[in-house]
Amino acid sequence: MASETAAPSPARPAGAGPGPATPTALQELRRLRSGPRGLTDAQAQARLGDVGENVLPDVRTPSWSRRFVRGLRDPFTTVLLCLGLVSATVSAWGTACVILSLVVVSCLLRATGEHRADRSMAALRGLVATTATVLRRPDADRPPREWETPAAELVPGDVIRLAPGDLVPADVRLLRTGGLTVHQAALTGESAPVAKYALDAPTVVEAGPFEQPHLCFQGSSVATGGGTALVLETGTRTRFARAHGVPARREASAFERSVHGISWVLIRFMLLTPPLVLMANATLRDRGLETLPFAVAVAVGLTPEMLPVIVTTCLARGARLLARTHGVIVKRLPALHDLGAVDVLCLDKTGTLTQDRPVVEGALDGVGRDAPEVLRQAAASAWWTLQLADLPAPDALDEALLDAADGSWEAYEGVAAVPFDPVRRLATAVVRGGLGTHTLLVKGAPEAVLERCAVEPAERERLLGLAARQARDGLRVIAVATGDRPARIRPYTPADERGLAFRGFVTFRDALAPTAARALQDLAARGVTVRILTGDHPGTAARACRDLGLDPGEVRTAGAAGDDAAAVVARCTPEDKARIVTALRRAGHTVGFLGDGVNDVPALHAADVGIAPRDAVDVARESADVVLAYKDLTAIDHAVAAGRHSSGNIATYLRVTLSSNLGNVVAMLAAGLLLPFLPMLPAQVLAQNLCFDAAQLAFAYDRPAPGVLTRPTALRPRDFLRFITGFGLLNAIADLATFAVLALALYGPDALDDEAVFHSAWFTENLLTQSLVMVLLRSGRGLAAGRVPGPVGRAAAVLSAVALLLPFTPLGATLGMTSLPVGYYVLLAAVLALYALALWAVRARYERRAAAGGDHL
């Protein structure tokens, strides 16, 4: 009944030409060297040896040790491991233990996240039939017998029987059917059963494989009716198995590519630092290997050691918040990064823009005027067909008719019914008419109804044209006709559906999702472009978009030129969806894809972020990176906001730590060449890094400015490196200015002999400048913004207190530092004030240029 009433068949796109013709059942039987009586036992056994068992492929999951080792592929993790080993080689055991601990934590976090990936195969066993009813012959001369066989032993060419409740055990072609409907939710995500029937003549293929009425696929189940079918494909060659095979490795997302590009530039610099320090000190200061611990400490100082901890903390907090408040489960934590960077969201309209049910748009007579009586007649036909034909439940169109008619069918008294048949495409209810008469209320596809009406050919073409215009406007159309017959007792049959009087059309539209319009506005405000990839008629998709205030532009048909740039692409196959998603990614977009059926799995893997609702089929849910409690665009909007929140904090951490560290490293390298001693002891460098890293944990709990949430979080390597280079050099100038003040103004030229004073002064200045950087370079905070939010402000205050007080403590003495005179702090305050003003001015200039050029981090 699901396809009881359908819109007129859409025309193929201009220039597309006729589609390929599907072979007849007889041709398929000949190709597979089979017949209506099935295979012999010997033929089946021979084919089983050739093609293998009809089972899903096994997917081997990597061990914990392999997952752990794979974590070392991250560039920063690899460099940290190398620096830890170098530190151990030069007996800097404290440094080595800290660095290697960070490596272990990072790899464990990655292995734990991967452990939850790709466990779909075990859950899918319940969707695959274990037995099947097959026709087999002991030998070629004996008649076939019908018996139950393990589904694993089916082979191409077998003839099987299908009955209500059966799971379809392989990909099959229908030979004979009787009222057959199947559930294809495991394949397409659509909840309504689909009518299936045999085709005897060659037919031009204009739809995807799941929409072809003569084909059924492994993973679907029989809802009503039954039939006989020819097995076409088994085992790993079925569409169900191919969708569940080992997926191709997903390409790195835009965010990951950006971070890796930045990482490798820094890594090259870090790898060059120790040799440069060693060679310069050996050449200019006759200091050789004794400076190796200092060189390693400088290289470590450039490394964002806390990056795994900051990233994991930011993402875990965002994921927990999403799960607790919106029911959104982030299966792969890095996917929250990618959600923040998404600028294109691809989805089907059904269940997201529209609900999975139609509603009545209106009822029209033959000239297009409102005709309430046509609606009442159609509803009466639906009601009495359900009551008298012993059908299990109304289909979606019947429910829409009954809702819209609101009981008006009660004026009709039912007598009999001729239920819907997918070949006739009609349903008829017989009700009492005038004295001694019965009235047939016929509804169904316009072509089928008008073929049975007593109208002139020209009038029939005009009425079909009216129905076609309604379909092009995105409406589903059924026709209604009536016929009076003398009252009788004998049953009514399809032969009575002749010489009918045409009454009119009933049109339906998809019920809009109640939150879709607002969610589309919110996503647009966040800079996310929504692309609709649907298998529906172009007019249906365009109408839903217009009803929601979304401009569909020129609706393209899949396969047409420029379909990857269209806002709405209709008639999409699974391959089309994956191809369009891949094209968008190659064009530089970060793409999210929402899907819920087996046919969506290729696109889910192709996207930067795969999104599926909780009620999606198992393979779609397991293939997705993010799982929604409900198929609702509002939940995606919340997830995008959470991703940008986390990504903005991570970007701030990288910006602050790398610009500050780069400035310190440049200053240390310059001072190391100018001073007769090391500008800072290795232990002091590591202590400074530890204090700064601990303070920066506050960024994981920061609240970015609202502006960060209104645009995709993109880390453009060139802009990012320009930022950290500019601010890093500014920081290095402040460090060297402090060195000049200390050397010339406070003590005079001979003051550099006091190493402890120099080390203490520079240690204090470095931490104070890092505190300023934390406050002034926060992500998205304008210079005229209000108060500094709590976590970052408190962390910067604590870091400043450590900078000022540590030289006076026993720990400071242990690290080789000493107290400083009051005059130094006065001069340091002047240097820091000038540095803050310069930082303020440079950032203001940067923000103006970024706003003018549209750049953002």
Side-chain angles (χ1 to χ4, degrees), residues 35-188:
R37 299 191 301 163
L39 302 173
T40 66
D41 291 341
Q43 288 174 323
Q45 287 298 320
R47 294 190 185 187
L48 186 63
D50 293 337
V51 302
E53 291 190 333
N54 179 34
V55 294
L56 292 176
D58 291 327
V59 177
R60 298 182 61 185
T61 57
S63 63
W64 270 94
S65 58
R66 287 179 62 86
R67 290 195 180 104
F68 185 89
V69 171
R70 280 198 315 212
L72 296 175
R73 295 176 182 174
D74 179 77
F76 276 129
T77 304
T78 303
V79 171
L80 281 176
L81 177 62
C82 295
L83 292 175
L85 295 176
V86 171
S87 299
T89 303
V90 298
S91 300
W93 300 111
T95 304
C97 289
V98 171
I99 294 175
L100 294 177
S101 297
L102 291 172
V103 170
V104 171
V105 169
S106 174
C107 293
L108 282 176
L109 290 172
R110 291 173 185 273
T112 302
E114 290 181 1
H115 179 64
R116 291 181 285 179
D118 237 349
R119 291 178 294 181
S120 58
M121 295 309 299
L124 289 168
R125 300 299 176 186
L127 291 175
V128 181
T130 56
T131 63
T133 302
V134 65
L135 293 179
R136 291 269 178 87
R137 295 173 289 157
D139 55 59
D141 297 327
R142 298 176 65 180
R145 56 192 176 95
E146 190 175 295
W147 60 297
E148 292 288 319
T149 186
E153 297 180 6
L154 288 180
V155 295
D158 266 328
V159 176
I160 63 173
R161 304 283 196 201
L162 298 174
D166 284 351
L167 292 169
V168 178
D171 290 356
V172 301
R173 179 192 178 114
L174 297 172
L175 302 177
R176 290 185 298 276
T177 60
L180 178 65
T181 63
V182 300
H183 286 290
Q184 296 188 146
L187 301 166
T188 65

Side-chain angles (χ1 to χ4, degrees), residues 164-528:
D166 284 351
L167 292 169
V168 178
D171 290 356
V172 301
R173 179 192 178 114
L174 297 172
L175 302 177
R176 290 185 298 276
T177 60
L180 178 65
T181 63
V182 300
H183 286 290
Q184 296 188 146
L187 301 166
T188 65
E190 298 291 340
S191 58
V194 178
K196 296 287 185 177
Y197 49 89
L199 292 177
D200 296 326
T203 304
V204 174
V205 177
E206 293 188 354
F210 299 117
E211 288 75 38
Q212 295 184 36
H214 61 291
L215 298 179
C216 293
F217 298 93
Q218 184 184 55
S220 56
S221 61
V222 178
T224 61
T228 303
L230 172 68
V231 175
L232 301 178
E233 298 289 357
T234 60
T236 58
R237 294 167 301 282
T238 65
R239 287 182 173 270
F240 191 72
R242 290 203 300 270
H244 294 74
V246 180
R249 184 181 299 276
R250 179 183 278 129
E251 298 177 10
S253 68
F255 191 92
E256 291 170 334
R257 291 194 300 269
S258 299
V259 171
H260 280 208
I262 296 166
S263 300
W264 281 112
V265 173
L266 296 172
I267 286 167
R268 293 186 186 99
F269 189 80
M270 288 157 51
L271 294 177
L272 286 174
T273 299
L276 287 176
V277 172
L278 290 175
M279 287 188 296
N281 277 276
T283 303
L284 301 177
R285 297 294 180 185
D286 291 327
R287 293 193 296 258
L289 289 178
E290 66 270 18
T291 62
L292 182 57
F294 173 73
V296 172
V298 170
V300 172
L302 187 60
T303 306
E305 304 99 325
M306 297 297 289
L307 182 61
V309 178
I310 295 286
V311 167
T312 303
T313 304
C314 286
L315 298 182
R317 288 188 73 248
R320 280 198 305 271
L321 184 64
L322 275 176
R324 185 171 65 249
T325 59
H326 303 295
V328 177
I329 306 301
V330 180
K331 295 172 51 186
R332 183 177 64 89
L333 279 183
L336 205 54
H337 270 314
D338 303 330
L339 275 171
V342 162
D343 60 347
V344 175
L345 176 64
C346 297
L347 47 86
D348 194 347
K349 72 174 185 64
T350 305
T352 49
L353 302 183
T354 62
Q355 302 178 54
D356 197 9
R357 64 180 182 86
V359 294
V360 171
E361 175 71 10
L364 311 173
D365 62 14
V367 294
R369 297 173 301 194
D370 289 340
E373 181 61 25
V374 173
L375 176 61
R376 288 193 290 272
Q377 292 168 339
S381 176
W383 173 257
W384 287 113
T385 303
L386 287 166
Q387 298 300 312
L388 300 174
D390 295 326
L391 297 176
D395 73 357
L397 296 184
D398 284 345
E399 288 181 332
L401 287 170
L402 296 177
D403 288 342
D406 194 21
S408 62
W409 63 84
E410 295 175 356
Y412 297 89
E413 181 182 353
V415 175
V418 182
F420 171 76
D421 185 296
V423 176
R424 266 171 50 246
R425 296 190 295 163
L426 298 174
T428 298
V430 183
V431 299
R432 296 192 188 279
L435 182 64
T437 63
H438 288 166
T439 299
L440 277 64
L441 303 178
V442 182
K443 63 180 178 65
E447 301 96 324
V449 172
L450 287 168
E451 182 182 345
R452 292 160 172 81
C453 290
V455 295
E456 295 297 326
E459 176 67 4
R460 180 181 295 114
E461 290 302 317
R462 186 188 70 79
L463 293 172
L464 286 175
L466 176 60
R469 287 195 297 274
Q470 298 294 323
R472 285 195 295 271
D473 197 33
L475 299 174
R476 299 172 69 179
V477 185
I478 65 170
V480 179
T482 63
D484 292 330
R485 302 288 185 268
R488 71 189 194 205
I489 299 176
R490 62 186 175 86
Y492 285 86
T493 68
D496 294 301
E497 299 167 340
R498 292 288 184 272
L500 303 175
F502 177 77
R503 297 301 180 189
F505 298 110
V506 180
T507 59
F508 303 81
R509 60 174 174 82
D510 290 330
L512 301 179
T515 60
R518 177 60 183 273
L520 287 172
Q521 294 174 2
D522 292 341
L523 287 168
R526 298 192 191 282
V528 177

Side-chain angles (χ1 to χ4, degrees), residues 659-660 662-668 670 725-741 762 765-766 769 831-832 834-835 838 842:
S659 59
S660 179
L662 179 62
N664 288 339
V665 167
V666 171
M668 285 185 185
T725 301
F727 285 96
L729 292 178
L730 184 61
N731 188 36
I733 292 171
D735 287 345
L736 294 176
T738 303
F739 163 56
V741 166
W762 205 353
E765 184 271 343
N766 275 338
T769 56
V831 172
L832 291 176
L834 292 174
Y835 173 63
V842 173

Side-chain angles (χ1 to χ4, degrees), residues 596-612:
D596 57 4
V598 170
N599 58 337
D600 292 322
V601 169
L604 286 169
H605 282 296
D608 291 283
V609 188
I611 307 169

Side-chain angles (χ1 to χ4, degrees), residues 544-567:
C545 292
R546 288 194 298 269
D547 289 345
L548 290 167
L550 180 67
D551 182 10
E554 181 184 355
V555 178
R556 300 290 180 90
T557 302
D563 61 356
D564 57 328

